Amino acid sequence: MKTAILLFLSLLITSISFSQSIKFEGLITDSNANGLEMANVMAVNKVTKAMDSYAITNDKGKFLLNLKPNTAYSLKISYLGMQNKELDVTTATENIIKNIALEEGGIELEGVEIVREMPVSIKGDTIVYNADSFKSGTERKLEDILKKLPGVEVNADGEIEVEGKRVTKLMVEGKDFFDGDTKLGVKNIPADAIDKIQVLRNYSEVGALKGVENNQDNLAMNIKLKSGKKNFWFGDVTAGVGVAQKQSRYLINPKLFYYSPKYSINVLSNINNIGELPLTVQDYFKFTGGFRGVAQKGGSSFNVSSNDLGISLLRNNRAKDIETKFGATNFSFNVNKAWSLSGFGILSSALTELETKSQTNILQPKSSDVLSTENREENVNQKSNLGLFKLSSTYKPNVRFQFDYDVLTKLSKQDENNSLIRESIVGGNSATENISTVKKQDPISVNQNLSLYYTQSDKSIFAFEMQHLYQDENPFYNANLKSQPFNLTDYISGQNRNDINQNRFVKTNKIDAKLDYYYMLTNKSNINLTLGNTYSNQNFNSSIYQILDNQNRNDLNDNSNKNDVNYNFNDSFIGLHYKILTGKFTFTPGVSMHSYNMSNEQLGTSNSQNFFRALPDFLAIYQIKKAETLTYNFSYSNTFTDINQLTEGYVFSNYNSLMKGNRLLENATSQVHSLRYFKYNMFNFENITAFATYSKRIDAIKTRAIFNGVNQTSSPFNSDFADETILGNGSYGRSFLKNYKASLSANLNWSKFNNIQNNQISTKESFTQSYTFKASTNYKNMPNIELGYNLVKNDYNNSTFYTERPFAKLDYFFLKSFSFVTEYEFYHYYNNSKSVNYEYDFLTASLIYQKKGGKMEYKVSGTNLLNTTSLNDDNFSQFATRTSQYSVQPRYVLFSLKYNI
């Protein structure tokens, strides 16, 4: 780590010593001497023909160029709507101050060449990055370029953030690339195929609604390909073999792409046992397919939960062993000028082995209560087969009419076998036993979306949207224990083993429909009338049975051990919103009126609820400057549970957790206030974001839990005490000295929960803080380094855990053919008493050889070179804290060949 810091400081000192330059600054104005914000200014060296410096003016029209002394330059200035200007400038040894006025009446064709040469340019709501301006030669995928762009961040999950906002759609040549997820594009699109990266701010998929809806948080990204990559197949095929301590490693990774004006095809494949997961289980469950929430303006929240049995979710290289098979294809086809089709298919299979040691401490309502602790040593084997399929159709015969249809299907088959040793410690007394569990499920969900948009006139717009969700889940759970954890009716005691099984079947049909009418009162105001309805029907069947020592089956037929529930939910609502732009302010007040009807049938009887409610909301946007805004949002909403918490019979959540629902549950009411500040300055790529949210949930659905040692029996209830949450995050970043970028960010999350534990009111608080600092260089012909530090502090009711993580990355392109990239992370994990104190680190490195323009690439790479054996983390539930240590893949070295098509 010290070596990396010294290297960074030496690079910094060297670069500063060679950065003796002449400052050329001034103002770009119109003919009336008004400063022009976001004008492009570029200095081209007349001798080398290279662009030595560029700038984008700030809100006052100011620019600053760092030029070489005693050099002749051609200065090019462009601004949308103005005539381009070109000046000859010769520097001496003195700084230069000069104001430049542009004349109205820009010629678009002349502006195209300048826009293409500028590293960054602004055109309306679009930011255009010239990819080659940020490449140093070590980039292999889109992700490598994005991380070097000012104002752009890519997190560990492959999500892209620009100006502090998440990019929700990724396109290539204007065509969706696996809609609903950016990770596949970030990790797979070849860097050498990319010409421009366009960030589309205030993005709307429906052009007719762009002026009437608030799209200020919507971002899309479009990748423009180099001319040689269009109308031709391109991509690469990678194959590699490696060595590790106990087994060999392998990688087969072909990728093919084809883009033309009429159609496009992308084919991705990956077979490996190096822990490279193109699609994780987390990605699968959060994959939206690009579907929008139909009832967002309704003020109600009715979300269908997933019966996923708590099967462990993993990230790349974070398990003892992972073997993956992955294949995906994405296509688009323009049937004619009005009709286009697109879609994708994804198949993934993973075999995973986990080895975990953990300690769970039950948080007691009072300090005088008996302490309970559970220590586990687990070995888990998982097999996951995942499938995702989407088909989309868009029909747009003219600018006034658009018809969209989408269908997304999710299929999966998952098996998990868990063998564990549990030590339970209650009041100083301990007991140990071996436990084995089995989890199986193969759910299916089909989500359909139909949308119609019709512009009747310049003042009237109609929008109809409808979604249907069909979900069929069938999780099976088996626990084989030595002790009897719960007293269940009809249960036969005295067996050598307590073999408990549970079948569960849950079916859901949910339909959301909404009709919007927009009427333009003036050019700066409109009203929006909404008619909507949400209907859901769910069936829940479950049963618990016991396998005896003689292998006979004992069905636990008492009503307390089984469920046969039918639940209907209906929300009919009408909403009214008014949007007005006045000066620098945009106001959108609104209200929705709801009629709710709920009924559930079980145990031979039915229970129903019917009531009305008015839910207000308010949005205010203060456009301080062109790239500086302050946004306030208020919403008052009703949150409803689905069928999973209404079942009166017992349901196993785990071998030590039994849950019983409550058919009399009512809705929870919550109010949310959020404030967001955003500032972005293209003059020095300074970006400031700050976001704070306060939410208070009244009559929240909470948990009444009874703990018998470490075993928990729970049921939900409507709490009279409010839960509160405060979320806050902020970041500051900027570029400086031309080739340097630095950022500082903070994330805060405070929560207070109220439950009933062992018949006592239990109030718990958690406070999570995360702080990150990063600094990096971006040179063309020198080594580039990134240094950073991350601190995470988790406070859980007087238990505090810290994770300190300094990190460094070095990439260097040298001798015109070699690339060297290495990354290092050091972790220090401890608690406030230092009773938990671990240190571990990770080092990866790769050396690549490829001649310029060559087809073959030769690579040797090492992962976990320091041979770290395990990682640590912690988490908090409303009743317990848990610390974990889990094994990771050992060190391996991989030799690979890549052929570029």
Side-chain angles (χ1 to χ4, degrees):
M1 189 66 192
K2 291 181 179 178
T3 303
I5 294 173
L6 290 173
L7 177 59
F8 177 76
L9 292 175
S10 64
L11 286 171
L12 180 63
I13 295 170
T14 301
S15 63
I16 293 175
S17 65
F18 281 99
S19 64
Q20 302 299 324
S21 59
I22 301 301
K23 289 185 178 180
F24 184 172
E25 58 185 318
L27 298 175
I28 304 297
T29 67
D30 59 17
S31 56
N32 297 319
N34 297 313
L36 298 177
E37 182 180 3
M38 296 186 181
N40 298 320
V41 185
M42 178 173 54
V44 178
N45 191 309
K46 283 191 172 183
V47 177
T48 65
K49 305 301 181 184
M51 181 184 61
D52 282 357
S53 186
Y54 74 95
I56 296 175
T57 57
N58 65 8
D59 57 305
K60 296 180 175 60
K62 182 180 178 180
F63 71 92
L64 173 63
L65 301 173
N66 292 303
L67 305 179
K68 298 175 183 177
N70 304 311
T71 306
Y73 287 98
S74 175
L75 198 69
K76 299 183 179 182
I77 306 101
S78 67
Y79 184 82
L80 188 64
M82 296 288 184
Q83 293 186 29
N84 299 326
K85 198 161 192 174
E86 186 169 340
L87 301 174
D88 291 333
V89 175
T90 301
T91 61
T93 57
E94 302 285 336
N95 293 334
I96 302 172
I97 299 177
K98 183 178 179 63
N99 296 336
I100 302 168
L102 301 182
E103 298 180 5
E104 295 184 359
I107 302 173
E108 287 295 322
L109 291 178
E110 291 180 359
V112 170
E113 185 62 27
I114 293 179
V115 169
R116 288 181 63 85
E117 292 178 356
M118 284 290 293
V120 185
S121 59
I122 308 291
K123 204 169 186 179
D125 283 334
T126 303
I127 306 174
V128 182
Y129 295 94
N130 182 30
D132 287 342
S133 299
F134 298 92
K135 294 178 184 177
S136 63
T138 61
E139 301 81 12
R140 291 298 179 267
K141 303 301 175 190
L142 170 61
E143 176 181 30
D144 301 324
I145 301 176
L146 292 177
K147 289 181 177 179
K148 296 185 176 183
L149 303 183
V152 179
E153 297 288 338
V154 181
N155 65 22
D157 295 324
E159 295 176 337
I160 310 169
E161 287 189 355
V162 180
E163 302 175 347
K165 302 175 185 177
R166 190 170 69 88
V167 173
T168 56
K169 178 182 282 289
L170 180 65
M171 299 175 285
V172 177
E173 292 293 326
K175 298 175 173 63
D176 290 343
F177 192 91
F178 293 95
D179 194 18
D181 178 75
T182 58
K183 179 179 177 179
L184 291 176
V186 163
K187 301 288 186 181
N188 289 284
I189 297 175
D192 60 2
I194 300 169
D195 182 30
K196 300 287 184 295
I197 299 172
Q198 298 176 331
V199 176
L200 311 175
R201 298 180 292 188
N202 301 314
Y203 180 76
S204 176
E205 294 194 61
V206 182
L209 301 182
K210 186 170 184 178
V212 294
E213 289 194 327
N214 294 301
N215 301 306
Q216 71 280 355
D217 289 330
N218 293 355
L219 283 179
M221 181 173 284
N222 182 45
I223 307 301
K224 301 291 290 184
L225 301 174
K226 292 185 175 180
S227 57
K229 303 298 182 180
K230 301 174 186 177
N231 299 312
F232 295 98
W233 282 99
F234 68 94
D236 54 67
V237 179
T238 302
V241 294
V243 292
Q245 289 180 324
K246 294 184 179 180
Q247 63 176 340
S248 60
R249 301 289 172 179
Y250 61 85
L251 168 68
I252 302 172
N253 187 201
K255 304 182 185 73
L256 292 172
F257 307 87
Y258 183 88
Y259 281 89
S260 71
K262 190 171 181 64
Y263 66 92
S264 69
I265 301 174
N266 306 296
V267 181
L268 310 175
S269 182
N270 196 322
I271 302 173
N272 73 85
N273 67 345
I274 63 174
E276 190 172 287
L277 287 167
L279 186 77
T280 66
V281 179
Q282 295 137 306
D283 297 328
Y284 171 82
F285 281 110
K286 73 180 182 182
F287 207 106
T288 64
F291 280 58
R292 299 180 298 276
V294 168
Q296 289 178 345
K297 293 181 184 177
S300 297
S301 175
F302 180 85
N303 296 316
V304 177
S305 58
S306 175
N307 289 272
D308 59 8
L309 288 173
I311 288 180
S312 301
L313 306 179
L314 304 173
R315 290 208 288 177
N316 297 18
N317 294 313
R318 294 299 183 259
K320 185 177 181 180
D321 191 63
I322 307 175
E323 186 174 348
T324 302
K325 296 178 181 178
F326 172 84
T329 183
N330 178 76
F331 81 94
S332 67
F333 176 61
N334 296 329
V335 181
N336 51 47
K337 291 183 178 181
W339 185 23
S340 63
L341 298 172
S342 63
F344 60 75
I346 300 173
L347 293 172
S348 178
S349 176
L351 298 174
T352 306
E353 181 183 353
L354 298 99
E355 190 175 88
T356 308
K357 296 180 179 179
S358 65
Q359 182 179 86
T360 301
N361 294 300
I362 307 301
L363 300 173
Q364 303 300 332
K366 296 190 300 185
S367 58
S368 59
D369 291 338
V370 176
L371 299 178
S372 300
T373 299
E374 182 184 57
N375 296 317
R376 298 187 200 176
E377 293 186 14
E378 301 179 68
N379 286 282
V380 180
N381 288 285
Q382 294 179 351
K383 183 177 181 180
S384 296
N385 295 310
L386 310 174
L388 284 161
F389 306 92
K390 183 184 179 184
L391 178 65
S392 300
S393 171
T394 296
Y395 180 66
K396 192 175 180 180
N398 52 60
V399 296
R400 291 185 174 274
F401 181 78
Q402 182 173 332
F403 172 41
D404 296 335
Y405 173 77
D406 309 275
V407 56
L408 174 69
T409 301
K410 289 185 177 183
L411 306 169
S412 69
K413 180 176 174 60
Q414 296 171 278
D415 298 271
E416 177 179 294
N417 295 294
N418 186 342
S419 176
L420 67 94
I421 301 173
R422 172 177 79 156
E423 179 191 23
S424 55
I425 305 172
V426 182
N429 300 315
S430 66
T432 303
E433 68 172 309
N434 296 323
I435 299 172
S436 61
T437 64
V438 175
K439 300 176 182 179
K440 296 181 179 180
Q441 60 185 11
D442 53 348
I444 178 175
S445 71
V446 181
N447 202 339
Q448 299 180 81
N449 179 80
L450 184 148
S451 305
L452 289 167
Y453 306 97
Y454 175 61
T455 304
Q456 184 184 39
S457 65
D458 292 340
K459 289 184 174 292
S460 298
I461 303 170
F462 292 89
F464 175 73
E465 298 172 314
M466 182 171 67
Q467 280 187 13
H468 173 245
L469 170 67
Y470 170 77
Q471 188 168 283
D472 189 354
E473 301 169 290
N474 59 348
F476 169 80
Y477 181 73
N478 165 259
N480 199 303
L481 306 93
K482 181 180 179 180
S483 63
Q484 183 180 336
F486 302 102
N487 294 318
L488 299 173
T489 306
D490 295 338
Y491 190 83
I492 298 177
S493 302
Q495 302 294 302
N496 290 326
R497 300 293 296 178
N498 292 276
D499 195 331
I500 304 173
N501 303 267
Q502 177 181 261
N503 285 312
R504 201 187 316 174
F505 303 94
V506 186
K507 287 188 178 181
T508 300
N509 277 282
K510 180 171 176 276
I511 298 177
D512 294 285
K514 179 168 67 74
L515 175 64
D516 279 297
Y517 172 67
Y518 300 89
Y519 182 75
M520 301 296 297
L521 299 171
T522 67
N523 290 333
K524 294 186 176 182
S525 65
N526 69 76
I527 57 171
N528 168 215
L529 180 66
T530 304
L531 298 174
N533 193 86
T534 295
Y535 172 77
S536 173
N537 172 259
Q538 293 182 292
N539 298 100
F540 188 109
N541 287 274
S542 70
S543 60
I544 301 174
Y545 62 93
Q546 176 187 15
I547 300 297
L548 305 177
D549 289 348
N550 59 11
Q551 299 304 305
N552 289 336
R553 172 169 168 158
N554 174 36
D555 291 315
L556 279 61
N557 290 319
D558 188 86
N559 285 336
S560 64
N561 300 321
K562 59 184 181 179
N563 289 287
D564 184 3
V565 186
N566 184 69
Y567 176 51
N568 291 305
F569 171 86
N570 195 81
D571 170 20
S572 300
F573 64 92
I574 180 171
L576 181 66
H577 288 79
Y578 173 64
K579 178 182 177 182
I580 181 170
L581 284 73
T582 172
K584 293 185 176 183
F585 291 91
T586 301
F587 297 108
T588 310
V591 65
S592 55
M593 303 291 295
H594 296 256
S595 173
Y596 297 107
N597 299 275
M598 294 159 285
S599 65
N600 71 81
E601 297 178 2
Q602 56 182 312
L603 304 176
T605 61
S606 63
N607 178 68
S608 62
Q609 300 179 47
N610 304 284
F611 63 95
F612 294 87
R613 183 154 292 168
L615 302 174
D617 59 86
F618 179 72
L619 173 68
I621 303 172
Y622 176 31
Q623 193 75 41
I624 304 169
K625 295 179 181 177
K626 194 169 185 179
E628 185 178 10
T629 58
L630 182 65
T631 304
Y632 168 73
N633 205 336
F634 164 77
S635 63
Y636 197 81
S637 61
N638 275 358
T639 303
F640 296 86
T641 182
D642 69 349
I643 199 171
N644 287 277
Q645 296 197 73
L646 301 175
T647 57
E648 290 280 351
Y650 284 119
V651 175
F652 269 98
S653 302
N654 206 339
Y655 66 87
N656 62 353
S657 179
L658 194 65
M659 180 198 146
K660 182 179 182 180
N662 181 356
R663 67 187 304 178
L664 301 178
L665 286 178
E666 299 175 354
N667 66 290
T669 303
S670 62
Q671 51 177 296
V672 180
H673 302 263
S674 66
L675 191 65
R676 178 189 179 96
Y677 173 77
F678 159 73
K679 180 181 180 181
Y680 193 72
N681 186 352
M682 293 295 289
F683 177 68
N684 55 9
F685 298 108
E686 178 187 58
N687 62 88
I688 304 172
T689 61
F691 184 75
T693 299
Y694 170 75
S695 61
K696 184 175 184 180
R697 181 169 292 187
I698 305 168
D699 297 328
I701 296 174
K702 303 303 298 178
T703 301
R704 179 182 286 107
I706 301 295
F707 282 88
N708 181 12
V710 294
N711 298 325
Q712 173 186 350
T713 304
S714 61
S715 61
F717 72 101
N718 279 100
S719 171
D720 293 330
F721 302 95
D723 281 358
E724 296 178 89
T725 301
I726 299 175
L727 301 175
N729 62 64
S731 66
Y732 176 82
R734 62 164 293 176
S735 297
F736 57 97
L737 294 178
K738 186 180 178 181
N739 294 308
Y740 296 88
K741 183 170 73 169
S743 65
L744 177 66
S745 63
N747 289 279
L748 309 175
N749 184 341
W750 175 84
S751 299
K752 183 175 76 172
F753 307 101
N754 293 284
N755 296 285
I756 295 178
Q757 183 176 352
N758 293 345
N759 299 316
Q760 300 178 47
I761 295 175
S762 175
T763 300
K764 307 289 193 334
E765 293 185 14
S766 72
F767 186 30
T768 298
Q769 305 168 63
S770 176
Y771 306 95
T772 303
F773 171 75
K774 291 192 296 184
S776 61
T777 66
N778 187 26
Y779 286 102
K780 285 278 189 179
N781 302 310
M782 292 178 61
N784 286 300
I785 191 168
E786 178 184 81
L787 288 179
Y789 174 81
N790 172 247
L791 171 66
V792 177
K793 179 182 178 183
N794 292 323
D795 256 317
Y796 310 132
N797 275 64
N798 301 320
S799 296
T800 305
F801 298 90
Y802 301 85
T803 302
E804 295 182 88
R805 183 176 66 94
F807 55 91
K809 178 180 179 181
L810 173 70
D811 64 80
Y812 185 31
F813 182 71
F814 59 100
L815 299 179
K816 298 183 179 181
S817 300
F818 289 91
S819 299
F820 177 71
V821 179
T822 182
E823 295 185 56
Y824 176 78
E825 295 177 301
F826 177 84
Y827 291 81
H828 183 200
Y829 177 78
Y830 58 96
N831 64 355
N832 50 340
S833 64
K834 293 295 178 75
S835 60
V836 176
N837 194 355
Y838 300 102
E839 292 183 352
Y840 50 92
D841 48 5
F842 276 90
L843 176 65
T844 63
S846 63
L847 179 65
I848 302 171
Y849 171 77
Q850 182 181 17
K851 287 185 177 180
K852 185 176 181 179
K855 294 285 188 179
M856 293 295 298
E857 175 188 282
Y858 306 87
K859 179 180 180 180
V860 56
S861 59
T863 298
N864 193 10
L865 291 172
L866 302 176
N867 208 29
T868 296
T869 58
S870 60
L871 295 179
N872 298 83
D873 68 1
D874 54 79
N875 57 62
F876 166 79
S877 71
Q878 296 181 33
F879 294 103
T881 62
R882 174 174 171 167
T883 58
S884 302
Q885 183 182 69
Y886 53 100
S887 300
V888 296
Q889 291 190 105
R891 173 175 51 222
Y892 65 84
V893 178
L894 190 73
F895 303 89
S896 61
L897 297 176
K898 184 172 75 172
Y899 179 75
N900 294 312
I901 298 172

